[in-house]
Amino acid sequence: MRRTPLELAAVATAAVPGLAPTATAFSPDDDADFDSALLLDAEGKRWRVRSPRHPEASTRLETEFMVLRAFAPAIRAELPFHVPTIAGTVRQGALTTFVYAHLQGSTLSIEELSAGSPALAKEIGAALAAIHDLPLTLVTNADLPSYSANEFRQRKLNELDQAATTGKIPATLLRRWEHALEDVALWRFNTSVVHGDLHEDNLMVLDDSVTALTGWTDLRIGDPADDFAWLVASNEASFVEAVLTHYTQARRETPDAHLLRRAALLAEFALAQYLVKAMAAGHQSMTAEAESMLQTLADDIEEQARREEEAAQAAEVEAAGIISAEDAEAAFQQPPVSVEAIPDAEPSVSVATIPNAAPPATSSPDAKAEPHAAAGAVDAEGNHHADGSESDAALAPDDTSTAAINVVNVTPLHTAERS
């Protein structure tokens, strides 16, 4: 049963002695796992309450508690943003509710972020670089998960096998993801500290500045592309490129060349993970929604593959100097034309012999005229022919075929669909 912001305010007063909320409001969060609210006290300070909805979510909050304790003052001072501070906790049965101290800024939608100023893209890139440049000991000392590049790839292969057993993943996507995961060159990267659950609801923004990052429940050593998946899912290429440019400039080491390709794969694969999670929880509506998004993605991939192959075939024809690009593209979209010989416009002409003029009268009245040769006869010198011949010719139409595939738009997961 979902708790209202007013109920969460009552829980918060038990977690933080002396807290007297004067106003409450809903706070965006992973709705399948947490109930969250923002509180305002009499002094104008704001507080955030996160209450888990099941034991696994409670464990994630307890993990975040360990992570935030690992952020020593010296580490916090080097970061270009603030991290949360836990003001108090209260345990209710198997679940623990956490109250966080005030953080400046507010969350924006991915559309609002991508439409923001170049300064905001620079801030996001710098924030990502700061996370990935954190010392690895921050994770290892807290006994949090750590994966090498190959271990991370194998983990995704195992998750793909699990998703395939549902029987609800389109074959187009299974083949696409399997080929990408088997491309060893794609998975050669240097591991780093990653946030692990980064998306727009965990990004606090004020004007054109990133003021704080929240949601530190999945901190680990792994693939830095994990923290770019939500950006790629925005389908705003110029925004993503701007963030990547500033990220590259701010990093202590040069990112690998395949970072965004892996991020795109992870953004797509998140839909399969959402399906598996929905089926495990028995949520029929979430399962149906996941199936619909996966089918839409598969259809988009197949459509883009068809268009790209047609464009490639048209380019080949144009390069051969046969026809223009426009005519070539039209040729691949229209059926071939059969050409037949056009029959003669007029009937064939028959040539008849013209009779000679009557001979002059002879002195003998019994003399008779002799008939001349028949029409069409050829004389000894070949001066006359009456017959002829011709043949028809048909043109055979050219035959072409098409085929290809590439990256497509990915439907971003909303808040309720994550984790």
Side-chain angles (χ1 to χ4, degrees):
M1 182 177 178
R2 187 171 296 280
R3 293 183 176 183
T4 66
L6 190 59
E7 291 172 328
L8 292 175
V11 174
T13 58
V16 182
L19 176 61
T22 58
T24 63
F26 170 78
S27 175
D29 209 328
D30 301 329
D31 291 346
D33 298 328
F34 305 105
D35 294 323
S36 297
L38 291 176
L39 311 180
L40 185 68
D41 64 15
E43 297 179 358
K45 293 182 180 180
R46 292 191 299 176
W47 310 76
R48 190 185 186 201
V49 186
R50 299 186 82 191
S51 181
R53 305 197 67 191
H54 49 79
E56 190 272 335
S58 184
T59 300
R60 289 177 61 194
L61 289 182
E62 291 168 2
T63 299
E64 182 184 37
F65 180 62
M66 291 191 302
V67 170
L68 295 177
R69 288 177 60 185
F71 279 101
I75 295 178
R76 289 176 180 253
E78 292 182 359
L79 294 173
F81 52 80
H82 294 288
V83 295
T85 299
I86 296 177
T89 65
V90 58
R91 191 167 185 85
Q92 298 173 296
L95 308 179
T96 302
T97 296
F98 286 74
V99 180
Y100 302 83
H102 169 76
L103 288 173
Q104 286 188 330
S106 59
T107 59
L108 300 178
S109 68
I110 188 64
E111 292 79 13
E112 291 172 324
L113 289 173
S114 60
S117 67
L120 181 56
K122 181 178 180 180
E123 284 276 312
I124 296 174
L128 287 168
I131 296 172
H132 297 167
D133 282 337
L134 284 168
L136 301 182
T137 53
L138 179 71
V139 173
T140 56
N141 290 345
D143 199 25
L144 296 172
S146 176
Y147 304 99
S148 67
N150 188 58
E151 287 172 341
F152 185 81
R153 183 178 73 93
Q154 187 59 52
R155 185 166 177 250
K156 291 303 175 184
L157 279 169
N158 295 339
E159 292 176 357
L160 178 60
D161 291 340
Q162 181 184 13
T165 61
T166 65
K168 297 180 180 295
I169 308 293
T172 298
L173 298 181
L174 288 176
R175 289 193 300 269
R176 177 182 176 87
W177 296 339
E178 184 177 12
H179 291 165
L181 288 168
E182 290 178 347
D183 183 2
V184 178
L186 186 64
W187 301 92
R188 293 191 182 120
F189 60 87
N190 292 330
T191 57
S192 69
V193 175
V194 296
H195 183 281
D197 189 33
L198 194 59
H199 50 79
E200 62 272 22
D201 291 335
N202 287 333
L203 199 70
M204 306 293 289
V205 177
L206 181 62
D207 296 328
D208 289 331
S209 299
V210 174
T211 57
L213 289 181
T214 63
W216 297 86
T217 58
D218 294 306
L219 189 74
R220 57 180 177 265
I221 295 175
D223 186 357
D226 253 354
D227 289 342
F228 277 85
W230 68 286
L231 288 171
V232 174
S234 70
N235 298 320
E236 294 291 343
S238 59
F239 171 61
V240 176
E241 288 295 337
V243 172
L244 179 62
T245 297
H246 294 297
Y247 168 82
T248 302
Q249 293 172 350
R251 282 286 324 252
R252 293 172 187 163
E253 64 179 46
T254 303
D256 69 280
H258 301 301
L259 186 145
L260 287 187
R261 287 184 59 196
R262 293 196 309 279
L265 171 67
L266 295 172
E268 292 181 10
F269 193 63
L271 300 180
Q273 295 171 310
Y274 177 50
L275 172 68
V276 171
K277 181 177 180 180
M279 294 182 65
H283 290 295
Q284 294 183 354
S285 60
M286 289 173 60
T287 300
E289 183 182 21
E291 287 186 74
S292 176
M293 289 190 293
L294 285 165
Q295 188 57 56
T296 298
L297 176 60
D299 292 342
D300 288 346
I301 288 173
E302 292 173 354
E303 174 64 17
Q304 180 164 327
R306 184 187 66 80
R307 291 181 178 179
E308 288 183 353
E309 175 143 355
E310 287 181 353
Q313 291 288 343
E316 289 180 5
V317 173
E318 182 185 13
I322 299 176
I323 54 177
S324 67
E326 294 78 4
D327 292 339
E329 184 177 357
F332 297 126
Q333 297 176 353
Q334 297 177 2
V337 178
S338 297
V339 180
E340 297 180 357
I342 301 175
D344 292 338
E346 298 179 358
S348 57
V349 179
S350 297
V351 180
T353 303
I354 301 175
N356 292 331
T362 63
S363 56
S364 173
D366 295 331
K368 296 181 180 176
E370 295 181 2
H372 290 273
V378 181
D379 60 18
E381 298 179 356
N383 294 326
H384 180 71
H385 246 294
D387 60 339
S389 62
E390 66 180 61
S391 61
D392 294 338
L395 299 177
D398 291 336
D399 184 23
T400 58
S401 60
T402 56
I405 189 166
N406 211 324
V407 181
V408 297
N409 292 346
V410 181
T411 304
L413 290 174
H414 297 294
T415 300
E417 302 163 359
R418 295 194 182 91
S419 69

